[in-house]
Structure formats: C-alpha cells, structure tokens
Amino acid sequence: MPKDRVPRPLKRKVLAKKNRQALINATLSSVAELGVAQTSVTEIVNRAGLSRGMIHLHFGGKENLLVAAAKQSAERYFDVLDKFLEAAGAKPQEIVAAVVNADLDESVMNPGSVKIWYAFRGAARDRAMIAQFSDTRDARLNNLIYRAFREICDQSQIPDSSTVARDATHGTLALLEGMWTDYLLHPDLFDRQIARRIVFRFLSGILPDHFELPR
Amino acid sequence: MPKDRVPRPLKRKVLAKKNRQALINATLSSVAELGVAQTSVTEIVNRAGLSRGMIHLHFGGKENLLVAAAKQSAERYFDVLDKFLEAAGAKPQEIVAAVVNADLDESVMNPGSVKIWYAFRGAARDRAMIAQFSDTRDARLNNLIYRAFREICDQSQIPDSSTVARDATHGTLALLEGMWTDYLLHPDLFDRQIARRIVFRFLSGILPDHFELPR
DNA sequence: GGCATCAGTGGACGTTCGTCCATTGAAGGG
DNA sequence: CCCTTCAATGGACGAACGTCCACTGATGCC
C-alpha cells in the first residue's frame, strides 16, 4: 500500500446513503423475524440504531420504506436467478434446470429470504406497490420456462404439445411454490436434494424423453 | 302441522349463541376481505351489527375470537374432506383421488376460504393457537395419502418403494399447495380441470401402472 | 477559522387500537 | 304483575402507533 489513498468517500452524502441502507436492512430483519404487521417504526429504528425521524427523512414515511425493502428483496432473487441462467447452457432443458436449481438454492431459499417473501406477499393484499413485486417475479419465471417447454415440445412429436407445455410450466411453478411453503413451515426437515428429485420426477413424467431423474 | 309447537328455543341463551356465531362469521368475513391485521374489534362488531363489548363478553378478548374463527374454518375443510373420503372406495388410488378432488373442490377452494386460510397461516407466526390448525391439517393429509401410496408401492415390484411413496406424498401435497397459492393470486384465471390434470400427470409419472390421466 | 448547510435527533401530536365496566332493559320465574 | 337475572350496550381508558417539526451539531466551503 504505497499511498493510504482515502478518496474521501465518507462525506455526508455517503454516510446518509449508509443510514438509508441500514434502515432497509433493519426493516428486512424485522419483517423476517416478526412479520410485516409487527414491524413498527420504533422496531425498525431500534434495530438500525437510529432515531425515529430517519424514516420520514429518507423515505417520507413507513410505507415507502416497506416498498423499498420489498423491492430490494425481489432484486436479490433475480440476481441469483440471472447468475444461474448465465452459468447454464442455451438448451431449453438447461434453462428449466437452472430455474429449478436457483429456486431451491440456499442463496435464495433460506430462512430469512423465505420468511420475508411470504410476509410481503401476505401484506400485498392492501398494498399494490408490494403486490407488483410478487406478480413480476411470477410472470418472469412463467415466461422463462414456458418458452423453454414450448421449444422442447415443438421439436418433438408430442400430441397436443401446447397443452403439455402449459401443464409443464404450471405444474413446475406450482411444485416449486409448494416446496417454498414446505420450507417456510418446516425449514429443519427440508431437504433440497429430495425437493429437486421430486421436481424432476414431475418433469421426467410429463416429458419422459427430455428429462431424467438426477442420481 | 297439527300443533304449532314452538319449543321456545328463542330464549336468551339461544339468542346469545346466535350472536356468538354472528361474531365468528363477521370475523371470517373481515379476515377474508381485509386480512387478519386489518381485522379490528370495531370492524368485527360493525359487520356483526353488535356493540363493542360483545367480543369481551363472549370470547374474553379479540385473540380468542380469532382462534375460534380459525378453528371453525379448519373444521369446514375436514367436513368436506371426510365427505369425499366416505364417497370413495377403499382402494388406495381412490383415497388419493378423493384427497386431490376434495382439495380442489369449490366447497373448500373458493375465494373466501382460500383467503381466510392464507390470512390465518400468515398470522400463525406469532399465535401458536392458530399455527396448530395449520399443522393439524398438513399432518392429517400427509398421513392419509402416505398410507395410500405405501400400500400401492408395497403391493408392486417397485425398487426403493419407500422413497417413491415418500416422494409421491411430498410431491402431491406440494403440488396442491402450489395450486392453492395459484388460486389465491389469480382466482379468475384458475381452472380446476387443469389443476386436477396436472396433479394426475405427476401421479401417473411417478406411479405409471397405478394412475392415469383423466380424460 | 468562522459561517452556512443539512443529515440527524427525539419529543409532541392526533389517531386508532383492545380492554373493561357501569349501566340498561327485556326475558323469565314466582 | 313485579322483581330478579343477565345478555347486551357504548363510552372511558391507557397503550401503541406513524407523522411531523423545531432543534442540534458536525461537516464542508469560503
């Protein structure tokens, strides 16, 4: 280290950004532990070690902070998904496998993230801003694997291939959704290997020539 | 009607029971429409057309009323399930089919019931009394179809039949769970026939000689 | 080094919540 | 028919909530 080059990033604006992020982190922590309903302004600022006024200062109100926290949480999911998709090949089977593996990976399916996801989705009933994130995720996953299944079906001699592609999409997403719920309710009993195997049992059952059970 | 035999059921006690039930109904109505968090004492008594003090009088507090409402809601589910099981035969395939058909039937999977179910399960995090109903339902369904799958697997020459029975149980319940979530989020787009077909695609894929696709 | 700026503070405020109880009035027994 | 009983009432109450603002003090520019 030839020069202790402190580029002076610790100006007031930078510190403010850090506090803003601390509020989001504290919110996510509280939502994971207590749920949205029990996440009060007092609870958030205590966890962040900041004063009550900070929420109004940085976000204009508690509601906007919740939306920002939900947004960040959703982005984390897509970051991991994109990483899995980049690592996968272009074959439709690989895309489907990437989605399944990403969805069951510990980096997105962990106690904190899963509790946050369901807490926000439960609260989405009255908050359109939050519901949007839930719908966006579902729609994107749906599109992604439907295209893949469609490609598989079109290249094969499958009767009624359109129906099969739709059923495969619908079934895979429903199965993953059920696995997440299972993980939410019994995180200690959950086994990712088994969950993956069951999803591939479904896939190899519906498209026997294109998917096979993992060893 | 020879004698207009009014057995005097409209005494004070009977009226009290009616009001007690009115409070439960108002609670379920509010939970379905607004969620648990937004279901306040004021909201409940307004819907029931009764006075504020009634909740404390009949239930000793709001919390006990929520528990009573959740309990009644869970009992409704089992009533329908039992009806389907009674109508089914004793063959394990019929038992599995009865559970699937009951779970997707309009009498339990309808907008109100599904919203109530997820609202209570979301609120169950802090309320052990309510979580109990959720766990009881899951455990009972699990037992029911695991026995059925086990019977099917034991009577066949399936390699690793224990694992298959467990995967079939786990997968079927996860798939149904995902279908409920799907219905919760998009009740207008949901198609029971398709949902049923997808579940049976899974079943016929995992146990090809014992289940087949419905026409 | 002194002054303007503004991120940060924390208490005041009005609202809404669930609980509880003094009071009411119709039912039901004598 | 009157008197007891008790389901039912609705307002009072303290606690907890989110919002907001007058104030503070460290920072950054001249």
Side-chain angles (χ1 to χ4, degrees), chain A residues 12 15-16 19 51-54 57-58:
Chain A
R12 285 207 276 186
L15 200 74
N19 283 335
S51 61
R52 302 180 58 69
M54 289 291 273
L57 180 65
H58 279 292

Side-chain angles (χ1 to χ4, degrees), chain A residues 129-167:
Chain A
M129 284 297 134
I130 292 179
Q132 177 190 341
F133 299 122
S134 169
D135 289 345
T136 299
R137 168 164 158 182
D138 291 343
R140 185 160 164 198
L141 287 181
N142 209 303
N143 250 305
L144 203 53
I145 68 171
Y146 176 64
R147 288 171 188 274
F149 283 129
R150 195 62 202 256
E151 191 178 335
I152 295 173
C153 291
D154 285 351
Q155 290 175 357
S156 330
Q157 259 75 4
I158 295 177
D160 210 357
S161 71
S162 174
T163 300
V164 172
R166 292 204 177 278
D167 283 7

Side-chain angles (χ1 to χ4, degrees), chain A residues 28-29 31-32 69 73 111-121, chain B residues 125:
Chain A
L28 290 176
S29 152
V31 166
S73 181
S113 296
V114 172
K115 282 177 188 164
I116 289 168
W117 173 251
Y118 282 102
F120 277 130
R121 186 152 74 187
Chain B
R125 187 180 302 204

Side-chain angles (χ1 to χ4, degrees), chain B residues 12 15-16 19 51-54 57-58:
Chain B
R12 284 208 277 183
L15 200 73
N19 284 336
S51 60
R52 301 181 56 70
M54 289 290 272
L57 180 67
H58 280 291

Side-chain angles (χ1 to χ4, degrees), chain B residues 74-83 133 136-137 140:
Chain B
E75 284 166 357
R76 290 274 163 80
Y77 179 88
F78 285 123
D79 287 347
V80 173
L81 177 64
D82 288 340
K83 229 180 57 184
F133 298 122
T136 299
R137 168 164 156 183
R140 188 162 161 195

